[in-house]
Structures are given as C-alpha cells and as structure tokens.
Amino acid sequence: MGLLRNSLCAMALFAASAGNAATLLEPTLHLKPQGVEGGGRVALTLDACGGKTDTRILSALVDNRIPATIFVTGIWLKRNAEAVEIMRAHPDLFELENHGGRHVPAVDTPRKIFGIRSAGSPDAVQAEVESGAAALAGAGGPAAKWFRGATAEYSPSAIAMIRRLGFKIAGFSLNGDGGSLLGAKETARRIGAAKDGDVIIAHINQPTHAAGEGVVQGLLALKQKGMTFVRLDDAEGVGNDGTTD
C-alpha cells in the first residue's frame, strides 16, 4: 500500500507540475472606444524582433503621418541604426518601447514557445526585461514604459515580476500579420477590418515577407475610412491578466 500511495502521489505531483508548466497567458489590450460612427481610433504596434527593417512600412508611416508604437529588441537596435535615427527624428509619430534584450519569451520555466526557448527562470526574465530597457536607454530618447515579450506569451508569475519592474505589458486585440507569416492579401484584410478600440500587432523587421505589403495596404484602408491612429502612451489602454492595472 505504501508503494502504491507513493506512486499515486508522484503521479499527482507530475500532473500538477505539467499543468503549471502549460499555463501561459496571451494578454489582450484594448483602447477605450470613442463610439464615433464610421471612425474611431486604433493603436498600431509593430514588433522589431531582430533582422532588418521593412522600409515599406516605415516609409508609409512617415509619408502618411501614421503614429505607431515600435517594440524593439536590443538585437534589432544594434543592426538598424538608420531606422532608429528616422524614428527618433519623428517623435510625434514613433514611440519606441521594450521588446527585450535578446527576444526571449518572458516565461520563467524552461520550455519552447513557437520554437523559441523561454527565459526559463525568474532571474532570466528579469535580465531580458532590464537588458531591453538598457538597450533603449543607450539608443537615446525617453525611457520605456511598456514591455512586450517575445511571442507575446507569459507565465503569470513573469507578468507579476514585469509589473513590479515598472512596466505595463502590451497585449493586443488584433493579430494583423500572423507573426509576419501571412500573405499580403490576408494581412491587409485583417488590419483593414480593425474596429474602434483595437490594438493591432504586426511586424516591421521582415522586409522580404509579403505581409509587409499587406500591413501598408491595411493601414491606408483604415486611414481612408477615417480611423485615427494613436500610440500606446497617448491612450488609456486596458489589458487583462493584471498587465496594466
């Protein structure tokens, strides 16, 4: 009986551990709707994970005076000085925020999310957040107020830690480009369908992907409809799972 009881206890402990390991959150974020018929406002957020800059998107934002919040990693900042200079030259359009130092998911247990190895420990999550903030500070401009982790998925305890570090966590309500893997037509359809209060997520670091063309088309369609674009810092965004309160 003792052996059976010990075996059952071990199985229960394993099941509980597996359940905790599987608990990840993908927070949402909405703006307060304005209730304007035929218009309203949305927040465009663009992730710059690594790699290069999609100048199709950057040029469209500048040329059409569309504000955006850009979540940049330390990796991207090192490789894209020219794009950073353009963004810093237009502080009325671009708000640069923290996407982490090395583009590591803010999950404090070891696992992979979409093939990316997580930070894996509380100390590693803290290092990812703080190194991203330091990289932004080194690039000049205002200190970051928002954080978005790689893959936009978090362990609940990591969310609590990030909030204690003083950052709001940027969820979203509309996935515009499917991680930059969607085609131009579907990306344009998704973004063009954004509603009053939506927070859009897309990517600005994949210049060879068709999704970038769709991002531009979708944004121009929204502008033609009379939608107003705001940066996260200019609007009262409300997130769930304790990400903004």
Side-chain angles (χ1 to χ4, degrees):
M1 282 296 292
L3 180 60
L4 176 60
R5 184 166 54 250
N6 289 341
S7 297
L8 290 173
C9 289
M11 289 173 65
L13 180 61
F14 175 79
S17 299
N20 290 336
T23 303
L24 292 183
L25 301 174
E26 185 180 87
T28 61
L29 182 65
H30 291 86
L31 309 180
K32 184 178 179 181
Q34 289 189 310
V36 178
E37 189 172 342
R41 62 179 185 170
V42 297
L44 171 64
T45 69
L46 295 168
D47 288 0
C49 310
K52 299 182 180 179
T53 303
D54 192 331
T55 56
R56 296 170 298 181
I57 299 174
L58 182 57
S59 296
L61 296 178
V62 173
D63 293 345
N64 293 279
R65 309 296 300 165
I66 296 176
T69 302
I70 316 294
F71 284 90
V72 300
T73 65
I75 298 169
W76 184 88
L77 284 170
K78 287 180 181 178
R79 300 172 179 170
N80 292 273
E82 185 176 348
V84 173
E85 186 176 345
I86 292 171
M87 292 175 185
R88 291 299 193 201
H90 296 87
D92 55 326
L93 296 181
F94 300 109
E95 170 191 349
L96 272 60
E97 297 290 353
N98 186 356
H99 197 31
R102 299 185 297 113
H103 199 247
V104 175
V107 174
D108 52 17
T109 54
R111 61 183 299 166
K112 285 189 177 181
I113 302 101
F114 301 115
I116 303 176
R117 193 178 300 278
S118 68
S121 71
D123 286 347
V125 171
Q126 182 170 343
E128 172 71 358
V129 177
E130 291 183 337
S131 62
L136 262 172
K145 298 177 182 178
W146 291 85
F147 176 81
R148 175 180 287 156
T151 76
E153 294 198 3
Y154 309 81
S155 50
S157 48
I159 288 176
M161 173 188 289
I162 295 163
R163 294 293 288 124
R164 286 196 299 271
L165 291 172
F167 295 94
K168 292 182 179 181
I169 296 173
F172 57 93
S173 62
L174 192 157
N175 187 335
D177 65 356
S180 193
L181 298 177
L182 295 177
K185 185 175 181 180
E186 176 61 13
T187 299
R189 185 195 69 78
R190 287 191 182 194
I191 293 177
K195 296 179 174 58
D196 184 19
D198 269 331
V199 175
I200 303 166
I201 183 175
H203 292 76
I204 194 170
N205 67 305
Q206 296 289 358
T208 64
H209 289 195
E213 179 185 344
V215 170
V216 173
Q217 292 172 355
L219 294 175
L220 295 181
L222 287 177
K223 185 176 181 182
Q224 190 170 14
K225 290 179 184 178
M227 197 69 77
T228 299
F229 295 89
V230 297
R231 304 174 303 180
L232 289 185
D233 219 25
D234 298 328
E236 190 69 25
V238 178
N240 63 351
D241 297 318
T243 51
T244 62
D245 56 11

